[in-house]
Amino acid sequence: MRFAAFAARAAKQSLSPYEYEPASLRPQDVEIQISHCGICHSDLHLIDNDWSSSTYPLVPGHEIVGTVMTVGGDCSLAVGQRVGVGWQRSACFDCEQCRAGAENLCARQEATCVGHMGGFARHIRLDGRFVFPLPESLDAAGAAPLLCAGVTVFAPLRRWGVVAGAQVGVIGIGGLGHLALRFLRAMGCETTAFSSSPDKRDAAERLGAHHVVSSTSVREVRSNGNRFDFLLCTAPARLDWITYLETLKPNGVLCLVGAPPGLLQIPAAQLLSTQRAICGSDIGSRNAIRETLAFAAEHGIAAQVETTPMADVNAALQRVRENRVRYRMVLTN
Amino acid sequence: MRFAAFAARAAKQSLSPYEYEPASLRPQDVEIQISHCGICHSDLHLIDNDWSSSTYPLVPGHEIVGTVMTVGGDCSLAVGQRVGVGWQRSACFDCEQCRAGAENLCARQEATCVGHMGGFARHIRLDGRFVFPLPESLDAAGAAPLLCAGVTVFAPLRRWGVVAGAQVGVIGIGGLGHLALRFLRAMGCETTAFSSSPDKRDAAERLGAHHVVSSTSVREVRSNGNRFDFLLCTAPARLDWITYLETLKPNGVLCLVGAPPGLLQIPAAQLLSTQRAICGSDIGSRNAIRETLAFAAEHGIAAQVETTPMADVNAALQRVRENRVRYRMVLTN
């Protein structure tokens, strides 16, 4: 059986129908019939070859929800099970990071749609160890973005010990940021949303923010001086880092999950006298994905999505490019 | 009684004998007869008014060891007790940081020799809550630098969870770095010293380093790629931060305890994909000072010092300015 998908044939091109012969099913593999696939900004970067890593035809898509159709002999999943797949599709299971349960930091990892055919398709075949059972209560469309956007914001909150009562700021209220607000509200944190869009003020409050600050007003940002235990930056934008660092309490942490262009330029003294830290975080381990899904199920958290039939993928991509989606676009089969 | 001291009368001037009338003894205060006082680079910055915070006459000195002569009615120390004093002499005991036991981050803290008369003197009078009993086994001269240099490197190792078996790099083998090497050896870490001085290679090994790398050779630094769990930078120098960050493992931490001039310029992507962090650390809390002294006593750790009679303070300061001291200068009365 050939797999039906949508592929870009060259950088920055529209997607068009594409069929490919999947690799044969290995013992650890699973074949999934895809019902939903979210669109992440990374998919646009891959289509456009922004990271110079793309090969064409390129089938994007790494926020996949579907149903198990076939399993290899060593796979613990069951036919008929509802499952999800995120950014990562393999790891060496042999390096220090893999041994530590941080296979998202494995240097030999492979991504679901880099050099492999991704989730803008009817089916996908991959290692079942990177396929996650979906808790029953989760709606498929609202759960798809949890597999990448969700774990990307959830994992650093756990790793850095963000606890109930903490003051947390979220910069950028989009696909990642809106999920961060929902998680943080459920965690019992007091959250402040920083957004450049005035129309997102009421929306941010509905998503769980206790306070909303205009990220384009230096004065408003400054008025939050010495406030946050943790500041999660989901905006891949060049910000006034010095001003944002001043919003951290002593021992506070600025965590980047979106990659801003250019260099961070920070006076070392700003880190020293207050013991502040700047760090990055990158998706999450398999355990972090399971924790994200379980927490979302427990607290009734889903992404706020727009859905579009996969046949209209190009129109959907265009809406994502124009930042018009509130807050995640999910393609449906 | 007037206190005899050595003071700078103006920025960048030599020190000369100076007498002052101490503030009257408050119930919480203690009066110490000073036997030893280390010279820290901060003392030079204060003498030179590099931080625009100095007032003159200025009596430097904040690595003080001495004997309790008089105690106020609320002070738990005893006359005759051997004690030490570090950088900090007061805190508000009322703010979030003080309440959290991080009074070294109190915004209203005062420093021993900023706006107060420091340890280049025969006596000092200050709040006994910032005066620390010295474990009996510690030699006074070798212990004096533990009060500032020692806690400055010890505190971040504890706070960031550096454990036995960890791979740790120490950049800069001077007053702070040489103590870091000794602490890390006693903690059971595998340590690498980065030094710009070829003559410190053997010395670094004697101090406990398992490996020594020339910090001036980009090639040598690069050959340590992906190696360290923790990298402690004690050098107040502009370094090739991008190359040093690459020596960290995923989830590794670069901790600055010396303030390099200018801006840290870091591509955000370098933090993201490997979850590295950059942080600063600033002296330590009162508990951290007590832990530093106790650990040093338990493991027989002292600073390697040169001693000079306090009357020769200007010659001693000159040796510090020329970076000729191995590794800490201590003035004696």
Side-chain angles (χ1 to χ4, degrees):
Chain A
M1 185 177 99
R2 289 169 68 81
F3 284 2
F6 287 89
R9 311 304 172 111
K12 300 179 196 287
Q13 297 301 301
S14 291
L15 273 55
S16 54
Y18 171 68
E19 286 197 354
Y20 71 94
E21 189 72 39
S24 57
L25 194 88
R26 300 165 299 175
Q28 70 269 34
D29 281 351
V30 60
E31 185 178 310
I32 301 165
Q33 181 176 318
I34 296 169
S35 65
H36 298 78
C37 188
I39 302 180
C40 173
H41 279 271
S42 300
D43 293 313
L44 298 177
H45 290 301
L46 290 173
I47 292 169
D48 295 349
N49 198 21
D50 287 337
W51 300 328
S52 306
S53 65
S54 301
T55 54
Y56 301 87
L58 182 141
V59 177
H62 59 273
E63 291 185 341
I64 300 167
V65 167
T67 303
V68 173
M69 303 304 286
T70 314
V71 294
D74 291 346
C75 182
S76 62
L77 295 161
V79 171
Q81 210 171 354
R82 206 168 55 129
V83 293
V85 176
W87 173 262
Q88 188 173 359
R89 64 168 277 146
S90 76
C92 76
F93 295 126
D94 193 35
C95 68
E96 181 175 359
Q97 298 303 324
C98 282
R99 295 192 304 267
E103 65 282 319
N104 57 310
L105 301 175
C106 171
R108 287 187 277 162
Q109 68 179 283
E110 292 179 299
T112 301
C113 54
V114 178
H116 296 275
M117 301 304 171
F120 293 5
R122 290 272 173 190
H123 296 85
I124 192 167
R125 194 176 274 181
L126 79 170
D127 188 331
R129 293 170 296 185
F130 284 91
V131 176
F132 307 95
L134 223 57
E136 263 190 37
S137 67
L138 291 181
D139 166 70
L146 299 176
L147 278 307
C148 175
V151 69
T152 297
V153 297
F154 187 84
L157 299 178
R158 293 293 291 261
R159 195 170 65 256
W160 287 93
V162 174
V163 293
Q167 290 278 349
V168 182
V170 177
I171 306 173
I173 309 307
L176 279 72
H178 91 287
L179 282 168
L181 293 180
R182 287 185 162 171
F183 285 134
L184 287 162
R185 169 62 76 143
M187 289 173 176
C189 300
E190 183 168 338
T191 57
T192 300
F194 292 85
S195 176
S196 59
S197 311
D199 69 298
K200 287 186 183 170
R201 182 170 287 269
D202 293 345
E205 287 175 359
R206 283 194 301 274
L207 288 161
H210 296 84
H211 316 281
V212 185
V213 172
S214 166
S215 60
T216 57
S217 161
V218 173
R219 191 188 53 76
E220 269 198 57
V221 176
R222 280 221 179 106
S223 71
N224 290 274
N226 198 33
R227 174 164 193 167
F228 300 112
D229 296 292
F230 196 80
L231 193 51
L232 186 71
C233 181
T234 72
R238 203 186 296 261
L239 299 178
D240 178 353
W241 301 109
I242 292 176
T243 296
Y244 275 104
L245 278 172
E246 288 301 314
T247 70
L248 288 174
K249 287 181 194 171
N251 284 331
V253 174
L254 167 62
C255 179
L256 308 173
V257 292
L263 297 169
L264 302 172
Q265 304 198 60
I266 313 282
Q270 216 188 355
L271 302 180
L272 271 157
S273 62
T274 52
Q275 300 190 163
R276 292 169 178 136
I278 306 175
C279 67
S281 190
D282 197 26
I283 55 170
S285 67
R286 294 176 298 156
N287 273 343
I289 292 174
R290 286 173 184 264
E291 285 173 3
T292 303
L293 296 173
F295 189 88
E298 175 72 20
H299 295 276
I301 292 170
Q304 182 173 325
V305 300
E306 298 178 14
T307 57
T308 302
M310 205 168 287
D312 299 329
V313 60
N314 289 308
L317 286 168
Q318 189 56 33
R319 274 184 69 78
V320 177
R321 282 188 193 279
E322 293 168 1
N323 281 319
R324 289 167 60 200
V325 181
R326 296 291 180 276
Y327 289 91
R328 201 64 155 184
M329 177 65 79
V330 174
L331 302 171
T332 59
N333 277 319
Chain B
M1 184 176 101
R2 288 168 69 80
F3 283 3
F6 287 90
R9 310 304 172 113
K12 299 180 197 289
Q13 298 300 300
S14 291
L15 272 54
S16 54
Y18 171 68
E19 286 196 352
Y20 71 94
E21 189 72 40
S24 57
L25 194 88
R26 299 166 299 176
Q28 70 270 33
D29 280 352
V30 59
E31 185 179 310
I32 301 166
Q33 181 175 321
I34 296 169
S35 64
H36 297 78
C37 187
I39 301 180
C40 173
H41 279 270
S42 299
D43 293 314
L44 298 177
H45 290 302
L46 290 174
I47 292 170
D48 295 348
N49 197 21
D50 287 338
W51 300 328
S52 306
S53 66
S54 300
T55 55
Y56 302 89
L58 183 141
V59 178
H62 58 273
E63 291 184 342
I64 299 167
V65 167
T67 303
V68 173
M69 304 303 285
T70 315
V71 294
D74 291 346
C75 182
S76 62
L77 295 161
V79 171
Q81 208 170 355
R82 206 169 55 129
V83 293
V85 176
W87 173 261
Q88 189 173 358
R89 64 168 276 144
S90 76
C92 76
F93 295 127
D94 192 35
C95 68
E96 181 176 0
Q97 299 303 323
C98 282
R99 294 191 306 265
E103 65 282 320
N104 57 311
L105 300 175
C106 172
R108 287 187 278 162
Q109 69 178 282
E110 292 179 299
T112 302
C113 55
V114 179
H116 295 275
M117 302 302 171
F120 292 6
R122 290 271 172 189
H123 295 85
I124 192 167
R125 195 177 273 179
L126 80 169
D127 189 330
R129 293 169 295 186
F130 285 91
V131 176
F132 307 94
L134 223 58
E136 262 189 38
S137 67
L138 291 181
D139 166 69
L146 298 176
L147 277 307
C148 174
V151 69
T152 297
V153 297
F154 187 83
L157 299 177
R158 292 291 292 263
R159 196 170 63 255
W160 287 94
V162 174
V163 294
Q167 290 279 349
V168 182
V170 177
I171 306 172
I173 309 307
L176 278 71
H178 92 286
L179 281 168
L181 293 180
R182 288 185 162 170
F183 285 134
L184 288 162
R185 169 63 76 144
M187 288 174 179
C189 299
E190 183 168 338
T191 58
T192 300
F194 291 86
S195 177
S196 59
S197 310
D199 69 299
K200 288 187 181 168
R201 183 170 285 269
D202 293 346
E205 286 174 1
R206 283 194 302 275
L207 288 161
H210 296 85
H211 316 281
V212 185
V213 172
S214 166
S215 59
T216 58
S217 162
V218 173
R219 192 187 51 75
E220 269 197 57
V221 175
R222 280 222 179 105
S223 71
N224 289 274
N226 199 32
R227 176 166 191 166
F228 301 113
D229 297 291
F230 196 80
L231 193 52
L232 185 71
C233 181
T234 71
R238 202 186 297 260
L239 299 177
D240 178 352
W241 302 109
I242 292 175
T243 296
Y244 275 104
L245 278 172
E246 287 301 313
T247 70
L248 288 174
K249 286 182 195 170
N251 283 331
V253 174
L254 167 61
C255 179
L256 308 173
V257 291
L263 297 169
L264 302 172
Q265 302 197 63
I266 313 282
Q270 216 189 354
L271 302 180
L272 271 158
S273 62
T274 53
Q275 301 190 165
R276 293 167 176 138
I278 307 176
C279 67
S281 191
D282 197 26
I283 56 170
S285 67
R286 294 176 298 157
N287 273 343
I289 292 174
R290 287 172 184 265
E291 286 174 2
T292 303
L293 295 172
F295 189 88
E298 175 73 20
H299 295 276
I301 293 171
Q304 181 173 325
V305 300
E306 298 178 15
T307 57
T308 302
M310 205 168 287
D312 298 328
V313 60
N314 288 308
L317 285 168
Q318 190 55 32
R319 273 185 68 78
V320 176
R321 282 188 192 278
E322 292 168 1
N323 281 319
R324 290 166 59 200
V325 181
R326 296 292 179 275
Y327 289 91
R328 201 64 155 184
M329 178 65 79
V330 174
L331 302 172
T332 60
N333 277 319

